Amino acid sequence: MNSNTLLLITDMQYDFCKPEGALYVRGAEKDVTRLSQFISKFESQIDHIILTLDHHHVIDISHPVFWEDSKGNPPEPFTIINSENVQQGDWRPRFEKEKAVKYIQNLEMQGEFPHTIWPEHCIIGSKGASVVDEIMEPVKKWARKGNFYEVTTKGTNPLTEHFGVLMANIPMNDSPETQFNTMLAEKLQKFDNILIAGEAKSHCVVCRMYLDLRPLPYQSTRMPD
């Protein structure tokens, strides 16, 4: 590796990386081992580390408790909810009805990820939201060499998904933490090399590669107030 290298570690958290985690990604424990070994082997060539953390409230638009059917039952995890389901009354939001319905519509117009109900995961303050020890130990060892790492959280707004760290799937005008993070994007562009590792390739990692690292300026569709 050349100098001026950033390691961007994506959501290497208990709920994703441990088989007993709430939203375990199959094979993640092997990724953890490989990344841990990589950090230890190349620690002298890594100039900066940023860890992203998925953080959610219990009441979240992607969690079962947010939705109910006509009998008041919550959807099973991995249920897909679309605007047609909502219009027909198959599923209805229990909270912030107008904003939730508009969110589903905007998400479909965006045409990227369908709205998926996940098991409750990475709850703020819980064990599931913490970085696994196998990653934190080599990061701390790297830091003891005189380095500083950063932690960036995402997903704290309960009315929008936030796969990529730089911007929520549907940004909201009244929620700055969901909008495009220009400061972080400019910081990323200062590095000659950005190494990306983490979970999961299907969502948070691929979303970051496709959306977040495209050249500025970035134009986005925003949720109306």
Side-chain angles (χ1 to χ4, degrees), residues 151-171:
V151 174
T152 300
T153 61
K154 60 187 178 65
T156 55
N157 188 298
L159 296 179
T160 178
E161 281 276 33
H162 203 145
F163 295 151
V165 68
L166 285 175
M167 189 177 69
N169 293 33
I170 301 294

Side-chain angles (χ1 to χ4, degrees), residues 82-123:
N82 56 41
S83 12
E84 184 178 356
N85 298 147
V86 176
Q87 290 170 0
Q88 292 177 349
D90 298 329
W91 299 110
R92 60 192 179 200
R94 298 178 58 219
F95 312 94
E96 298 285 359
K97 180 177 179 180
E98 291 184 7
K99 289 184 177 181
V101 171
K102 188 64 177 177
Y103 172 78
I104 298 292
Q105 294 171 347
N106 284 344
L107 199 61
E108 290 178 355
M109 289 173 61
Q110 183 174 274
E112 289 175 350
F113 293 96
H115 185 57
T116 304
I117 301 302
W118 309 109
E120 288 185 7
H121 65 285
C122 297
I123 301 300

Side-chain angles (χ1 to χ4, degrees), residues 63-75 81 89-95:
H63 288 166
V65 70
F66 197 95
W67 299 88
E68 64 182 5
D69 62 16
S70 58
K71 297 181 180 179
N73 300 311
I81 294 180
D90 298 329
W91 299 110
R92 60 192 179 200
R94 298 178 58 219
F95 312 94

Side-chain angles (χ1 to χ4, degrees), residues 41-219:
K41 181 176 180 179
F42 295 104
E43 63 178 15
S44 64
Q45 299 179 57
I46 298 172
D47 299 292
H48 194 53
I49 293 177
I50 297 177
L51 300 104
T52 77
L53 296 182
D54 201 36
H55 273 183
H56 294 286
H57 294 277
V58 172
I59 296 176
D60 185 284
I61 201 165
S62 68
H63 288 166
V65 70
F66 197 95
W67 299 88
E68 64 182 5
D69 62 16
S70 58
K71 297 181 180 179
N73 300 311
E76 292 293 327
F78 309 109
T79 297
I80 302 295
I81 294 180
N82 56 41
S83 12
E84 184 178 356
N85 298 147
V86 176
Q87 290 170 0
Q88 292 177 349
D90 298 329
W91 299 110
R92 60 192 179 200
R94 298 178 58 219
F95 312 94
E96 298 285 359
K97 180 177 179 180
E98 291 184 7
K99 289 184 177 181
V101 171
K102 188 64 177 177
Y103 172 78
I104 298 292
Q105 294 171 347
N106 284 344
L107 199 61
E108 290 178 355
M109 289 173 61
Q110 183 174 274
E112 289 175 350
F113 293 96
H115 185 57
T116 304
I117 301 302
W118 309 109
E120 288 185 7
H121 65 285
C122 297
I123 301 300
I124 297 169
S126 72
K127 178 180 180 180
S130 63
V131 178
V132 293
D133 291 339
E134 295 90 335
I135 297 299
M136 278 309 305
E137 288 307 315
V139 169
K140 289 190 292 185
K141 181 173 178 288
W142 169 88
R144 295 187 188 107
K145 305 291 184 180
N147 304 304
F148 292 88
Y149 62 87
E150 295 181 56
V151 174
T152 300
T153 61
K154 60 187 178 65
T156 55
N157 188 298
L159 296 179
T160 178
E161 281 276 33
H162 203 145
F163 295 151
V165 68
L166 285 175
M167 189 177 69
N169 293 33
I170 301 294
M172 302 171 65
N173 290 337
D174 59 353
S175 182
E177 74 274 15
T178 70
Q179 297 170 18
F180 188 71
N181 190 331
T182 303
M183 185 178 296
L184 180 56
E186 290 175 347
K187 179 180 292 185
L188 295 179
Q189 292 185 349
K190 293 179 180 179
F191 291 91
D192 296 325
N193 304 292
I194 300 178
L195 310 178
I196 302 174
E199 306 300 337
K201 183 180 179 181
S202 62
H203 286 73
C204 297
V205 175
V206 73
C207 187
R208 179 163 298 104
M209 293 170 67
Y210 174 66
L211 291 177
D212 293 348
L213 299 183
R214 65 177 61 175
L216 293 176
Y218 183 87
Q219 299 297 323

